[in-house]
Structure formats: C-alpha cells, structure tokens
Amino acid sequence: MLKHNDVGKWGEDIAALYLQEKGYIIYERDWRSTHRDIDIVAVDGDTMVFVEVKTLTDSVFRAPEEAVDKKKIINLRKAINHYVKSHQIDRPLRFDIISIVGPETNPPVIEHFENVSLFTGWSRR
C-alpha cells in the first residue's frame, strides 16, 4: 500500500498523463507560492488551466473532489492570482479539478471537472 504522499504524487502523475493525452500542454507541476501550491498548470488551446488533483485509494466514504473545501479554494485563488501576476499571464483562465480513485482500482477512475468556479463555491451537482 502506498503512503499518503506517494498516493498524491501517483495521482498527479496520472492526471498529467491524462491531460497530455487530451492535448493539453503541461507548463508546471507542483508550483509553489509560499505555503500555497498549484498541482498542475497547463494550456488547453488558448486557455491557461490551473488544475487541482485529488486522489484517494478508494471512494467508500467520500469522493476525492469533495476535499476541495472553502479553505482550499481560498488558497487556490491566492496562488493562481500570484502565478498570473508573476508570470504576466494575458490569456483566458480556467480552474479544473481532477479526481482520481486508485491505485487499487485498475485502471484508476478519473473524473475531470472543467471550469469550476472559484468564487461561488463548488459542487459536483
């Protein structure tokens, strides 16, 4: 069984491969702004996409994407704002969540939630 950090790294690797297979160009992985981070920064067409990856070994008690709570969203907004300003990004922006259940499931179960609002709260429903 993988340790917590290993599961997260494995999930981010799977998410990056998934995005590349969909034609995204990966710019950054694990970009850090002080104690805040962005798991994946990618480009989809002309849009800069900031991706939060959530991975669990199983979804018995909750789905991985449910871990993107209000506090996480506030930190993501700050990190994305810092990234955009420090890199002088002048293109459309989008925030996505990728939920992965595995590695015990084979193949892993991947859900991609595109264009999630960082301002109105998020719900998969």
Side-chain angles (χ1 to χ4, degrees), residues 65-69 73 97 113 116-117 120-125:
E65 67 276 4
E66 292 174 6
V68 183
D69 59 14
I73 287 173
I97 298 172
F113 303 92
V116 174
S117 173
T120 60
W122 119 265
S123 171
R124 72 180 297 178
R125 287 164 187 59

Side-chain angles (χ1 to χ4, degrees), residues 56-120:
L56 291 177
T57 55
D58 64 56
S59 58
V60 172
F61 297 107
R62 70 176 181 173
E65 67 276 4
E66 292 174 6
V68 183
D69 59 14
K70 185 176 181 179
K71 181 179 178 182
K72 182 64 178 176
I73 287 173
I74 289 168
N75 283 329
L76 283 164
R77 279 198 314 238
K78 290 177 180 178
I80 291 168
N81 186 51
H82 183 205
Y83 187 94
V84 168
K85 286 182 178 180
S86 66
H87 290 77
Q88 300 177 338
I89 304 299
D90 185 25
R91 60 179 358 160
L93 307 175
R94 190 174 86 214
F95 173 67
D96 293 0
I97 298 172
I98 294 183
S99 166
I100 299 177
V101 178
E104 281 75 13
T105 58
N106 192 9
V109 178
I110 301 170
E111 286 190 86
H112 185 181
F113 303 92
E114 294 184 27
N115 204 24
V116 174
S117 173
L118 287 172
F119 298 98
T120 60

Side-chain angles (χ1 to χ4, degrees), residues 18-28 40-51 89 91-96 98 112-115:
Y18 166 85
L19 291 171
Q20 288 173 323
E21 288 173 1
K22 288 183 70 174
Y24 290 55
I25 299 168
I26 306 297
Y27 272 32
E28 310 247 13
I40 298 173
V41 179
V43 172
D44 178 23
D46 67 340
T47 302
M48 178 74 59
V49 183
F50 301 94
V51 182
I89 304 299
R91 60 179 358 160
L93 307 175
R94 190 174 86 214
F95 173 67
D96 293 0
I98 294 183
H112 185 181
F113 303 92
E114 294 184 27
N115 204 24

